[in-house]
Amino acid sequence: MTKDQLKIVFMGTPEFAVATLRALVEGGYNVVAVVTQPDKPVGRHQDTLQAPPVKQYAAEHGIPVLQPVKMKDPAFVEALRACEADVQVVVAFRMLPEVVWAMPRFGTFNVHAALLPQYRGAAPINWAVINGETTTGVTTFFLDHDIDTGRIIEHREFAIPDDADVEYVYDGLMSLGSEIALSTLDKMLRHDGDIESVPQDATPLPPGTVLHHAPKIFKETCEIDWNMPSKRIYDFVRGLSPYPGAWTTLVAEGEKDLTMKVFRTSKTDIRLQLPQERDVVPGTFVVDDTRLYVTTADTLLEILELQISGKRRMSARDFLNGFKKIATYHASKH
């Protein structure tokens, strides 16, 4: 079988998935259809529909697009069956019912942005950085009944520098994901779909290994707990930067509460020494000329970039130039 004979249905929605779809198209593979989420209302009045990035790319390249509201909708299932796909490739999409993932003769494989079985779930890139991992990666695996539990085909590792934020890791895994998808498809071509895969529990994990999950991230997930050690907060901030952004509430007696997003911080080994009459608790701001620090469970953490609600993102230096009374505020967790 050749690339143009292997019929592929691609499923994905965001920019992360576009990289793999582009690699398939530019690599000469026969993508017969794309399945993606319905167009999303945007704008102040939600009166404009915006196509998902995957749909936009597919439309530019003349690839038919299916946008089911429900994956078990009979009309969609029949339209999908009519594509006569040999394999389905899934990247950053939703959970599929068996009637969908079991349809192709070679099965359906997913490109997951983690080294399974670690970080099963919707936000593996964020959680890997939040948890201070030094290595993550991508995995291709066959879909089955449960989320991210299917038989593993390939792993590729990716190093996370200590100063990397989630955007850096996202970009790296997006590129690596397209590479592993091509590698998996190349194996299918060489072996007529009969490729080796292993159960996720087949290889024992090193002693003491803790399996982390990667649940979906909501606004409340992103609130900073200043009672944590500074290293934990440092990782938390970069694991949510630039989007959706870690945040905290600034409170001061007689002042309106403010919401501050924190995008970049710097670790220090400074332990605060203040007069005993001042109650120094985690979340206390300390200003040293043009530098802004906040107390944590152990050392001071320097805030480098931030954004007050309604304002632009800015450096701490620029913020201090226009907000002289920050030391009267306290960073609080609701």
Side-chain angles (χ1 to χ4, degrees), residues 183-259:
S183 175
T184 299
L185 287 170
D186 287 346
K187 285 183 179 180
M188 285 190 167
L189 284 177
R190 291 197 304 271
H191 301 283
D192 196 30
D194 185 20
I195 60 176
E196 182 180 358
S197 61
V198 296
Q200 292 192 27
D201 59 359
T203 304
L205 297 172
T209 299
V210 176
L211 282 182
H212 297 284
H213 293 277
K216 187 175 181 180
I217 289 177
F218 299 94
K219 180 181 178 181
E220 54 269 26
T221 313
C222 303
E223 187 175 11
I224 301 170
D225 181 358
W226 298 103
N227 291 294
M228 295 192 300
S230 59
K231 175 62 165 65
R232 290 278 306 279
I233 299 172
Y234 171 81
D235 291 335
F236 185 79
V237 168
R238 65 194 184 98
L240 297 167
S241 179
Y243 182 82
W247 62 275
T248 190
T249 301
L250 306 187
V251 297
E253 187 174 352
E255 301 286 349
K256 181 181 178 181
D257 289 356
L258 300 173
T259 299

Side-chain angles (χ1 to χ4, degrees), residues 10-296:
F10 182 86
M11 300 185 180
T13 296
E15 177 192 11
F16 189 88
V18 174
T20 300
L21 177 57
R22 180 184 298 112
L24 300 187
V25 172
E26 294 180 355
Y29 278 97
N30 181 18
V31 181
V32 296
V34 158
V35 180
T36 189
Q37 297 277 38
D39 294 0
K40 184 179 180 180
V42 295
R44 183 175 181 181
H45 302 290
Q46 299 286 286
D47 54 358
T48 302
L49 291 178
Q50 183 179 67
V54 161
K55 178 183 178 180
Q56 294 177 34
Y57 180 88
E60 291 170 0
H61 293 79
I63 304 171
V65 177
L66 301 174
Q67 294 178 275
V69 175
K70 296 181 179 180
M71 299 301 291
K72 290 184 179 181
D73 176 43
F76 163 68
V77 172
E78 285 307 308
L80 187 62
R81 185 171 286 113
C83 294
E84 299 182 334
D86 297 303
V87 62
Q88 292 171 159
V89 180
V90 181
V91 183
F93 199 49
R94 50 180 150 165
M95 189 172 180
L96 304 181
E98 183 174 2
V99 67
V100 171
W101 58 256
M103 190 180 295
R105 64 187 183 120
F106 293 162
T108 298
F109 74 83
N110 183 283
V111 178
H112 187 72
L115 298 174
L116 291 173
Q118 285 285 15
Y119 295 103
R120 294 169 176 157
I125 304 176
N126 297 94
W127 285 109
V129 181
I130 288 171
N131 288 334
E133 303 285 3
T134 58
T135 303
T136 185
V138 290
T139 304
T140 51
F141 70 98
F142 285 113
L143 293 190
D144 62 11
H145 293 92
D146 298 315
I147 297 176
D148 301 335
T149 61
R151 296 175 64 91
I152 291 174
I153 307 167
E154 288 191 61
H155 273 144
R156 297 281 179 91
E157 291 190 354
F158 182 83
I160 305 177
D162 182 65
D163 60 350
D165 61 18
V166 76
E167 184 174 44
Y168 171 89
V169 182
Y170 179 99
D171 290 344
L173 295 186
M174 181 167 60
S175 175
L176 196 60
S178 64
E179 293 177 14
I180 199 172
L182 289 177
S183 175
T184 299
L185 287 170
D186 287 346
K187 285 183 179 180
M188 285 190 167
L189 284 177
R190 291 197 304 271
H191 301 283
D192 196 30
D194 185 20
I195 60 176
E196 182 180 358
S197 61
V198 296
Q200 292 192 27
D201 59 359
T203 304
L205 297 172
T209 299
V210 176
L211 282 182
H212 297 284
H213 293 277
K216 187 175 181 180
I217 289 177
F218 299 94
K219 180 181 178 181
E220 54 269 26
T221 313
C222 303
E223 187 175 11
I224 301 170
D225 181 358
W226 298 103
N227 291 294
M228 295 192 300
S230 59
K231 175 62 165 65
R232 290 278 306 279
I233 299 172
Y234 171 81
D235 291 335
F236 185 79
V237 168
R238 65 194 184 98
L240 297 167
S241 179
Y243 182 82
W247 62 275
T248 190
T249 301
L250 306 187
V251 297
E253 187 174 352
E255 301 286 349
K256 181 181 178 181
D257 289 356
L258 300 173
T259 299
M260 173 193 283
K261 281 192 173 184
V262 181
F263 295 102
R264 195 160 64 93
T265 64
S266 178
K267 293 173 290 183
T268 78
D269 57 4
I270 305 171
R271 295 184 180 274
L272 189 60
Q273 299 292 330
L274 287 176
Q276 291 183 352
E277 63 268 18
R278 181 170 177 179
D279 183 20
V280 181
V281 296
T284 300
F285 287 105
V286 178
V287 179
D288 180 11
D289 193 16
T290 60
R291 305 180 80 164
L292 178 63
Y293 301 91
V294 62
T295 56
T296 70

Side-chain angles (χ1 to χ4, degrees), residues 303-323:
I303 297 178
L304 300 178
E305 290 187 45
L306 58 90
Q307 182 178 24
I308 297 294
S309 52
K311 304 294 183 179
R312 64 176 177 84
R313 176 174 171 174
M314 65 185 76
S315 68
R317 179 191 293 265
D318 289 344
F319 171 71
L320 291 173
N321 285 337
F323 198 82

